[in-house]
């Protein structure tokens, strides 16, 4: 943290040299931009000293620069060469320690660094938002951090590196072993930057295996902060290229129809005009046939980066840059990073043998690192050429309708009999939009004979659909990428969309009823297989949710719950997981209940799939607050699995994690903490620290710690979880974003309001982009941001956001959902102090009643929200009732969570105020004094709740006419408030004006 060492710089403008690894260029560019905006001169020094040069000499060269040297520390900075930690420690002690006044540093990684880097006293930028990061950089350099005037366009200059562009799609995960290519990267960057409008096209061309795609991906991550749109397109086929470009239209927020052609035109036009974004980057990966797609390359103010084997892109106004094999130094560095057990000499041997080709080096080095074979032995195997065994490649209708329908079906059978087969097949999808393309995606040998010829023959397929459209049996529901045209021109219809059809519910029902048993048996299996094949397999990936949204409506109509196929079971479980993560709780509960009942009959009460579906079903029930119901389900699963498989079985641990969550919901926090602790220990032992299941267990333990009031412990654990998820998953993964909410919540609960607001504000923006504005997790993020703004003193923004979040949650989830009740509690507290007291009272009564119905009268949430309601009664003049209610709430909260829990201490702060109002000054002072002692022990002397207790105690002493002690207590508390929150913070101003503090119970998410 800043402040561990005296700041480097003096006052005035400075010349600052930023030393950084190329991998961290985005951080260097952002820091430099922040400094240059304040008038400082910045010199960028990319750190990559020759491996043969002594490290001490390279470090001393940095001191030749005038002014402070700011090092951007990451594992990459200390790996280049590569060099060992011991080598670095010696150099840092010899060079940096004696000249520590010239060096400053920031760290942008959570990875372990050489121990001697402590000499830098680096400012940590890894888990903070943009504003806090800028403040820390300036503080570390000893520069003033006054707020600059609003630049007008917030997108001017490099974007904060922890934030991603407004529109981001299809970009591969960053290769953390990327090596070298610095000249190519810089040349591509300057070629694009210096190109005129409409001419910013660079093609990276070279033979297969030289790393063109990896190079393009590294360009995106290294320079992506300078773009507002980054869109990656697989351009090996024109059809896929058009599809990806068309998908850009809705991502840009353009209003278009459903046709891909229309979307494609809209997207290209928006890029050409630079509206709504002028800073865009389009990557066309694998565009080996320029003649096929050159006309799709957009012009405009943005840039296009192409990867291809074909250099003919030079004939289409593109700057060509050949990507060669690695030079030898790059090969050796890459191999040693890929296979740490190899020496420099062995890496050089391997590079020679494989002719420096990156793909082969990657595959081979990774294999060698995990084997006992020596490099010499391996090279002997290559004498006869590279062998793949060596190089491992990583009825209720009117009679007239029924009669008319029978006539129509007979006519269809006589003219285009295959159209009846297609029609019957469609009824095993849900009525409405029917994605028949899923059937067309199946291999022909998996289809019944009567469908095989139809799907294989585009003319027959188009004729069948055209005939159905001619008779208004179906209509086109959108144009897909693979349009099918009827060359015969039947009935004047030149073509139809062959991917999605629309069938009315009435037609759907009558066709489904009028079907031979053999067709029913064959067609239902076809649709089941189509749905299984369409399963993306990753329900946690938000980018795949549209595909799950397309699949889930059809499960019922394909009668999937009667299938014994394991792949079908997996599809159902994945859909349940998607429904939980996307907030489709009610539909998910319905499917989960039906699946549980059906599978018990089909598979037996103790079949392994029963525990799988129980897990997902319980998650969905828990999401709507049915903790007692989920506890019964999870406890039965835990007991059975423990008895049958033992306590260390992974399925048992998963069920135990669900049980701990149920106990948290029921307010049994100690039990939940104990279970969560041994679950995490078991996962760490079985799977290691970095497995996603271990991180989930770590997240859950932190939640139990927070509910127990152990905020510092929760903060530390959530910080580690966030850092690991950012590395293991990706910054935009929903679980990573969830960790950002948790970490920001802990910061807020510890009184670190500006840090919490900075991180949560940035996270909210990404939530809205990735998950959508109505996703429950997005609403949670916005609610936490509102609380951060409120506690930080920005009441205007907080009030608007409280209202918006509550209205959205009521619309999306309903008035009785746990999230809605939680948001309503905050809205009531805000309205009590800054809005309509009658509205506050009405909302508060609903909240208390809602929690009693959901959780029972003894739950701590009931005690806490009753404590909130007592403050409303106080404000409307019902003092005796308020006093009685707050004393009952204090007793209930003490019984529920203990006398030293922050919630109990908060109730005590409010109870002492009510005691004072009803004339019990001595009782008030005694309670407040006791609260101070407990709060100091649990939270620390300068925690906001402790400070509120001290200010309240001064008021109690004045009521007892002990003015001297009151002045002393108040003065010390005010000094600490100024030091902790600032002289102008609303809490400090209120305390200075002797407005008695109060405490709001904020029901946490479980």
């Amino acid at each position: 943290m800043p402040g561990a060492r005296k700041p480097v710089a003096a006052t005035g403008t400075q010349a600052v040299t930023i030393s950084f690894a190329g991998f961290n260029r985005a951080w260097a560019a952002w820091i430099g931009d922040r400094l240059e905006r304040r008038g400082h001169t910045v010199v960028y020094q990319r750190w990559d000293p020759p491996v043969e040069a002594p490290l001490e000499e390279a470090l001393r060269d940095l001191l030749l620069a005038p002014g402070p040297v700011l090092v951007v520390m990451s594992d990459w900075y200390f790996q280049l060469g590569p060099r060992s930690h011991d080598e670095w420690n010696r150099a840092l002690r010899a060079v940096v320690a004696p000249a520590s006044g010239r060096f400053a540093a920031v760290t942008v990684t959570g990875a372990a660094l050489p121990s001697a880097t402590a000499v830098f006293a680096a400012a940590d930028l890894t888990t903070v938002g943009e504003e806090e990061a800028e403040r820390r950089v300036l503080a570390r350099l000893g520069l003033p951090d006054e707020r600059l005037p609003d630049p007008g366009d917030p997108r001017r200059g490099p974007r904060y590196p922890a934030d991603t562009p407004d529109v981001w799609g299809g970009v591969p995960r960053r290769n953390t072993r990327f090596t070298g290519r610095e000249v190519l990267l810089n040349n591509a960057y300057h070629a694009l930057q210096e190109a005129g409008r409409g001419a910013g096209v660079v093609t990276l061309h070279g033979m297969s295996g030289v790393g063109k795609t990896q190079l393009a991906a590294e360009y995106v991550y290294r320079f992506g902060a300078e773009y507002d749109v980054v869109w990656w397109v697989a351009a090996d086929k024109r059809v896929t290229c058009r599809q990806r470009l068309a998908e850009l239209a809705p991502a840009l927020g353009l209003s278009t129809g459903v046709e891909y052609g229309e979307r494609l035109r809209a997207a290209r036009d928006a890029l050409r005009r630079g509206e709504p974004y002028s800073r865009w980057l389009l990557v066309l990966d694998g565009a080996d046939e320029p003649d096929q797609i050159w006309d799709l390359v957009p012009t405009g103010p943005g840039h296009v980066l192409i990867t291809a084997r074909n250099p003919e892109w030079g004939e289409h106004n593109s700057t060509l840059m050949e990507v060669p094999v690695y030079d030898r130094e790059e090969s050796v560095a890459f191999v040693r990073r890929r296979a740490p057990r190899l020496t420099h000499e062995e890496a050089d041997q391997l590079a020679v043998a494989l002719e420096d080709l990156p793909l082969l080096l990657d595959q081979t080095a990774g294999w060698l690192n995990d084997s006992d074979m020596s490099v010499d032995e391996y090279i002997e195997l290559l004498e006869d050429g590279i062998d793949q065994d060596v190089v491992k490649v990583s009825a209720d209708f009117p009679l007239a309708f029924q009669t008319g329908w029978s006539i129509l079906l007979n006519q269809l059978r006589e003219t285009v009999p295959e159209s009846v087969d297609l029609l019957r097949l469609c009824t095993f999808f849900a009525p409405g939009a029917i994605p028949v393309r899923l059937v067309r995606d199946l291999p022909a040998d998996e289809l019944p004979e009567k469908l095989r010829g139809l799907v294989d023959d585009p003319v027959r397929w188009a004729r069948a659909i055209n005939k159905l459209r001619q008779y208004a049996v179906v209509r086109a529901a959108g144009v897909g990428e693979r349009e099918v045209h009827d060359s015969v021109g039947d009935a004047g219809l030149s073509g139809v969309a062959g991917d999605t059809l629309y069938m009315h519910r009435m037609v759907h029902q009558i066709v489904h009823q009028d079907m031979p048993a053999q067709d029913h048996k064959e067609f239902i299996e076809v649709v089941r297989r189509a749905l299984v094949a369409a399963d993306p397999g990753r329900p946690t990936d938000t980018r795949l949710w549209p595909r799950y949204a397309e699949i889930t409506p059809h499960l019922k109509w394909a009668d999937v719950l009667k299938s014994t196929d394991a792949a079908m079971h997996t599809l159902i479980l994945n859909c349940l997981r998607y429904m939980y993560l996307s907030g489709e709780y009610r539909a998910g509960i319905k499917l989960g209940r039906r699946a549980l009942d059906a599978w018990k009959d089909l598979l037996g009460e103790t079949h392994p799939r029963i525990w799988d579906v129980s897990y997902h079903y319980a998650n969905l029930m828990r999401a709507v607050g049915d903790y007692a119901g989920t506890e019964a389900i999870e406890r039965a699963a835990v007991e059975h699995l423990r008895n049958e498989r033992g306590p260390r079985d992974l399925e048992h641990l998963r069920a135990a994690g669900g049980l701990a969550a149920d106990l948290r919901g029921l307010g049994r926090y100690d039990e939940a903490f104990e279970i969560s602790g041994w679950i995490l220990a078991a996962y760490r032992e079985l799977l290691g620290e970095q497995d996603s299941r271990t991180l989930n267990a770590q997240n859950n333990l932190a939640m139990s710690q927070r509910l127990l009031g152990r905020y510092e412990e929760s903060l530390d654990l959530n910080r580690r979880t966030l850092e690991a998820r950012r590395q293991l998953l990706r910054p935009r993964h929903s679980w990573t974003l969830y960790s950002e909410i948790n970490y920001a919540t802990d910061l807020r609960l510890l009184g670190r309001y500006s840090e919490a607001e900075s991180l949560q504000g940035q996270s909210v923006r990404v939530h809205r982009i990735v998950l959508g504005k109505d996703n429950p997790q997005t609403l949670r993020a916005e609610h936490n941001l509102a609380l951060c703004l409120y506690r930080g003193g920005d009441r205007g923004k907080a009030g608007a956001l409280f209202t918006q979040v509550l209205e959205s949650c009521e619309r999306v989830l309903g008035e009785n959902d746990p999230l809605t009740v939680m948001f309503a509690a905050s809205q009531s507290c805000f309205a009590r102090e800054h809005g309509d007291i009658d509205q506050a009272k009405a909302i508060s009564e609903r909240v208390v009643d809602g929690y009693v119905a959901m959780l029972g009268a003894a739950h701590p949430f009931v005690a806490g929200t009753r404590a909130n309601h007592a403050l409303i009664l106080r404000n409307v003049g019902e003092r005796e009732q308020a006093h009685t209610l707050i004393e009952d709430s204090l007793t209930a909260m003490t019984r529920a969570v203990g006398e030293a829990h922050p919630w109990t201490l908060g109730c005590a702060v409010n109870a002492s105020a009510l005691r004072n109002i009803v004339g019990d000054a001595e009782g008030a002072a005694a309670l407040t004094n006791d609260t101070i002692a407990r709060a100091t022990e649990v939270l620390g002397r300068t925690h906001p709740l402790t400070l509120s207790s001290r200010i309240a105690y001064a008021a109690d002493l004045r009521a007892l006419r002990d003015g001297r002690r009151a002045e002393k207590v108040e003065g010390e508390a005010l000094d600490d408030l100024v030091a902790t929150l600032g002289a102008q913070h609303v809490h400090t101003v209120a305390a200075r004006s002797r407005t008695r503090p109060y405490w709001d119970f904020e029901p946490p998410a479980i």
Side-chain angles (χ1 to χ4, degrees):
M1 291 291 291
R5 177 183 300 281
K6 183 178 180 180
V8 169
T11 57
T13 59
Q14 296 286 314
V16 180
T17 298
I18 302 178
S19 178
F20 64 98
F23 193 81
N24 302 119
R25 182 211 177 263
W27 280 105
W30 177 80
I31 293 170
D33 176 70
R34 299 290 113 173
L35 294 173
E36 288 174 339
R37 291 189 187 202
R38 295 172 180 271
H40 305 290
T41 302
V42 176
V43 176
Y44 297 96
Q45 182 71 42
R46 183 173 60 81
W47 176 260
D48 191 13
V51 68
E52 64 273 9
L55 196 52
E56 290 86 346
E57 182 180 311
L59 285 171
R60 289 192 183 97
D61 286 346
L62 290 176
L63 293 173
L64 299 175
V69 177
L70 181 67
V71 176
V72 180
M73 297 201 313
S74 71
D75 44 343
W76 267 89
Y77 193 92
F78 298 102
Q79 284 179 0
L80 290 172
R83 301 180 189 268
S84 68
H85 278 202
D86 287 341
E87 186 178 358
W88 264 105
N89 287 332
R90 289 193 297 270
L92 292 172
R93 294 179 186 124
V95 179
V96 178
S100 59
R102 290 289 311 283
F103 285 94
V106 295
T107 180
V108 296
T109 182
L113 301 178
S115 59
T117 56
V119 70
F120 285 115
D124 187 358
L125 308 187
T126 57
T127 55
V128 298
E130 182 172 13
E131 292 183 8
E132 177 65 15
E134 182 174 1
R135 186 194 68 77
R136 291 186 180 188
V137 170
L138 296 171
R140 185 63 189 90
L141 289 169
L143 300 173
D145 63 351
E146 68 273 5
R147 185 180 294 273
L148 293 175
D150 189 343
D153 182 1
R155 294 177 295 189
R156 184 174 64 86
R159 175 180 279 94
Y160 183 54
D163 194 6
T164 46
D166 294 0
V167 179
W168 174 274
V171 181
R173 183 177 298 181
R174 192 172 195 178
N175 181 3
T176 56
R177 292 191 295 268
F178 185 87
T179 300
R181 307 298 203 187
E182 297 292 343
V183 172
L184 268 173
L185 286 165
N186 289 325
N187 287 347
Y189 173 75
H190 291 298
L192 290 172
Q193 295 296 324
E194 295 166 7
R197 182 185 175 98
V201 183
V202 166
T203 297
L204 304 172
H205 74 95
M207 67 185 207
S208 296
V210 293
K212 301 182 294 296
T213 296
Q214 294 295 329
L215 183 61
E218 180 60 23
Y219 182 93
V220 167
Y221 285 101
R222 195 166 294 195
F223 302 105
E226 300 185 21
Y227 297 97
D228 299 314
V229 176
V230 175
W231 199 252
W232 188 283
V233 176
D236 54 329
K237 297 178 181 178
R238 180 178 177 85
V239 61
T240 55
C241 186
R242 290 181 72 247
Q243 180 174 345
R244 281 294 294 156
L245 287 172
E247 289 169 355
L248 179 57
L252 292 172
L254 306 179
S255 298
T256 66
V258 298
E259 296 191 4
Y260 271 103
E262 183 180 350
R263 291 185 176 185
L264 176 61
R265 289 190 295 272
R268 294 185 64 213
D269 186 57
L271 297 177
R272 178 184 58 79
R273 291 182 290 106
E275 296 176 3
Y277 300 99
S278 61
R279 303 194 311 174
W280 51 263
L281 173 65
L282 183 68
V283 181
L284 302 179
D285 183 39
D288 294 327
E289 298 182 15
D291 289 341
Q292 295 295 316
I293 65 169
W294 70 267
D295 59 314
L296 298 176
V297 178
T299 60
H303 299 152
V304 180
L305 186 63
I306 300 171
T307 71
R309 290 175 295 175
N310 193 337
E312 292 180 6
W313 275 106
E315 301 174 10
H316 298 282
N317 299 319
S318 174
T319 300
L320 292 180
M321 290 188 180
E322 184 176 4
V323 182
V325 297
Y326 276 148
D327 63 37
R328 185 57 43 77
E329 185 177 319
E330 289 175 329
S331 294
V332 172
F334 176 79
V335 169
R336 294 196 65 198
R337 187 172 292 119
R338 187 73 172 89
R341 79 174 182 88
L342 302 186
T343 66
H344 186 281
E345 292 73 19
E346 289 173 326
D348 185 78
Q349 283 182 273
L350 190 63
V352 172
L354 297 178
E355 301 180 357
D356 300 298
L357 188 63
L359 178 61
L360 295 182
L361 289 171
D362 186 19
Q363 296 167 347
T364 306
W367 177 68
L368 279 175
N369 193 56
D370 295 331
S371 76
D372 296 327
M373 183 180 290
S374 70
V375 172
D376 288 335
E377 292 172 328
Y378 182 82
I379 292 175
E380 288 180 16
L381 293 176
L382 299 178
E383 291 179 353
D384 295 328
I386 295 172
D387 191 313
Q388 197 169 6
D389 289 335
V390 180
V391 182
K392 300 295 181 182
V393 182
S394 351
D396 296 326
F397 300 112
L399 181 60
F401 182 88
Q402 296 183 50
T403 303
W405 185 253
S406 297
I407 295 172
L408 177 57
L409 276 180
N410 286 333
Q411 189 169 354
L412 284 171
R413 290 191 191 100
E414 293 173 1
T415 56
V416 187
E418 53 264 35
S419 64
V420 177
D421 294 328
L422 179 59
L423 196 60
R424 287 172 173 165
L425 176 72
C426 286
T427 66
F428 293 99
F429 292 97
I434 297 174
V436 289
R437 74 177 186 285
L438 301 184
V439 174
R440 295 175 62 203
D441 287 337
L442 289 174
D445 58 3
E446 294 186 12
L447 297 173
E449 185 175 351
K450 63 174 62 178
L451 289 178
R452 193 176 305 157
L454 177 63
V455 171
D456 269 351
D457 188 337
V459 173
R460 291 180 63 190
W461 178 269
R463 189 188 303 275
I465 291 177
N466 285 342
K467 183 60 67 174
L468 294 175
R469 290 187 62 207
Q470 177 187 351
Y471 292 161
V473 177
V474 300
R475 62 179 172 84
V479 175
E481 277 304 317
R482 296 165 306 166
E483 295 182 359
V484 178
H485 297 281
D486 186 352
S487 60
V488 180
D490 192 315
L493 294 172
S494 60
V496 301
D499 282 358
T500 305
L501 303 175
Y502 182 89
M503 181 183 290
H504 193 279
R505 185 174 300 273
M506 291 170 64
V507 174
H508 186 279
Q509 184 173 346
I510 201 165
V511 172
H512 194 73
Q513 290 174 344
D514 181 31
M515 189 180 308
Q518 185 60 33
D519 282 1
H520 187 287
K521 180 180 178 180
E522 291 182 347
F523 293 163
I524 195 171
E525 286 301 322
V526 169
V527 173
R528 287 175 178 176
R529 287 198 296 271
L531 294 174
V532 167
D535 181 4
R538 298 196 307 276
T540 59
D541 191 335
T542 57
R543 298 166 299 181
L544 300 175
W545 285 0
R547 292 167 66 179
Y548 280 106
E550 180 181 50
I551 292 171
T552 52
H554 306 294
L555 300 178
K556 172 185 174 182
W557 299 94
D559 212 3
V560 295
L561 298 180
K562 292 183 180 179
S563 173
T564 58
D565 181 25
M568 181 60 69
H569 296 164
T570 299
L571 169 65
I572 294 166
L573 296 173
N574 285 343
C575 287
L576 287 170
R577 185 66 171 163
Y578 152 73
M579 289 172 163
Y580 170 68
L581 294 172
S582 64
E584 297 289 341
Y585 302 140
R586 305 296 173 181
I589 288 172
K590 187 175 181 180
L591 175 60
R593 183 185 301 117
R594 291 174 53 232
L596 187 58
D597 292 342
W599 287 1
K600 283 182 178 179
D601 292 339
L602 188 67
L603 305 173
E605 295 276 347
T606 60
H607 191 278
R609 285 302 193 191
I610 300 301
W611 313 121
D612 291 333
V613 74
S614 295
Y615 168 77
H616 294 293
Y617 180 42
N619 279 342
L620 289 155
M621 291 177 62
R622 193 180 302 116
V624 299
D626 188 359
Y627 305 115
T630 56
E631 187 206 6
I633 293 173
E634 296 286 22
R635 193 173 293 280
V638 167
E639 292 176 354
H640 175 84
L641 291 169
R642 183 177 59 240
N643 293 333
E644 290 291 321
R645 306 183 188 178
R648 291 163 57 80
D649 176 73
L650 292 177
E651 296 296 324
H652 171 255
L653 292 175
R654 183 179 69 173
L659 178 60
D662 302 330
L663 295 172
R664 285 193 293 269
L666 293 169
R668 294 155 62 177
Y669 305 138
D670 288 312
E671 294 178 68
F673 175 74
E674 180 182 357
I675 294 175
S676 297
W678 66 254
I679 290 173
L680 177 57
Y683 273 129
R684 283 175 172 168
E685 183 178 348
L686 292 170
L687 305 175
E689 296 274 355
Q690 296 300 305
D691 189 270
S692 62
R693 288 162 290 187
T694 305
L695 296 178
N696 291 346
Q698 191 166 282
N699 171 86
N700 296 340
L701 179 60
M703 188 172 295
S704 294
Q705 289 172 329
R706 183 191 305 138
L707 290 169
L708 286 168
R710 295 156 63 168
Y711 300 145
E712 287 283 2
E713 296 174 49
S714 178
L715 177 75
D716 179 65
L717 206 53
N718 275 320
R719 175 186 57 78
R720 288 191 277 142
T721 305
L722 173 57
E723 291 173 351
R725 280 177 167 172
R726 282 177 170 173
Q727 182 175 357
L728 178 66
L729 303 173
R730 63 178 192 276
R732 285 189 167 205
H733 193 283
S734 61
W735 291 354
T736 306
L737 297 176
Y738 189 76
S739 284
E740 290 180 350
I741 299 175
N742 286 334
Y743 187 66
T745 298
D746 291 334
L747 289 172
R748 173 175 56 79
L749 292 173
L750 286 166
R752 294 162 62 175
Y753 301 136
S754 61
E755 295 176 65
E757 179 190 333
S758 178
L759 175 60
Q760 191 63 78
Q762 173 188 319
S763 184
V764 161
R765 179 173 168 275
V766 180
H767 267 87
R768 290 168 177 165
I769 295 170
V770 175
L771 300 179
K773 60 185 180 64
D774 287 338
N775 183 273
Q777 185 172 314
T778 302
L779 297 178
R780 275 198 57 200
E782 291 177 330
H783 176 252
N784 192 47
L785 176 59
L787 288 171
C788 293
L789 292 166
Y790 190 26
R791 300 307 168 205
D794 194 339
R795 293 167 176 169
K797 290 183 180 177
L801 195 51
F802 277 134
T803 300
Q804 172 193 315
V805 169
L806 178 58
E807 290 176 349
S808 296
C809 201
E810 287 177 336
R811 171 175 51 81
V812 174
L813 299 177
E815 291 187 355
N816 298 320
D817 186 87
L819 275 185
T820 306
V821 181
M822 183 177 87
F823 298 167
S826 298
Q827 176 76 351
S828 173
C829 291
F830 184 87
R832 182 194 69 224
E833 299 298 321
H834 310 290
D836 184 339
I837 191 66
D838 292 328
Q839 179 197 43
K841 187 170 184 288
I843 295 175
S844 180
E845 288 170 347
R846 276 205 320 271
V847 168
V848 173
D849 290 344
Y851 277 135
V852 170
M854 184 189 305
L855 305 171
H859 196 280
F861 284 19
V862 175
T865 51
R866 280 176 171 164
N868 290 345
H869 195 68
L871 296 179
I872 296 175
L873 296 178
R874 177 202 64 182
N875 287 9
V876 298
E878 300 177 16
R879 297 180 175 180
E880 290 295 338
Q881 296 94 320
H883 176 235
T884 300
L885 184 56
I886 192 61
E887 294 289 354
D888 290 345
S889 299
L890 176 58
T891 300
M893 189 66 86
T894 304
R895 185 185 306 117
V897 296
E899 60 185 8
H901 194 288
W903 297 349
T904 306
L905 301 177
C907 285
V909 170
N910 293 350
S912 67
L914 268 299
R915 288 183 185 183
N916 228 317
I917 289 175
V918 299
D920 184 8
E922 291 184 357
L927 179 58
T928 310
N929 190 34
D930 180 68
T931 302
I932 292 171
R934 297 186 191 280
T936 301
E937 180 181 356
V938 174
L939 300 170
R941 176 182 173 82
T942 59
H943 186 276
L945 183 53
T946 309
L947 292 171
S948 293
S949 303
R950 291 163 62 186
I951 293 295
Y953 186 49
D956 293 335
L957 291 173
R958 282 193 295 271
L960 292 173
R961 302 187 183 281
D962 190 347
R964 181 175 299 178
R965 287 180 64 200
E967 290 293 334
K968 181 177 184 299
V969 171
E970 183 178 68
E972 292 174 350
L974 281 171
D975 289 343
D976 284 344
L977 270 170
V978 171
T980 303
L981 299 179
Q984 300 305 313
H985 191 276
V986 289
H987 293 349
T988 308
V989 173
R992 192 179 293 119
S993 64
R994 293 185 174 174
T995 301
R996 187 177 183 113
Y998 58 87
W999 171 80
D1000 288 335
F1001 173 69
E1002 300 164 355
I1006 299 170

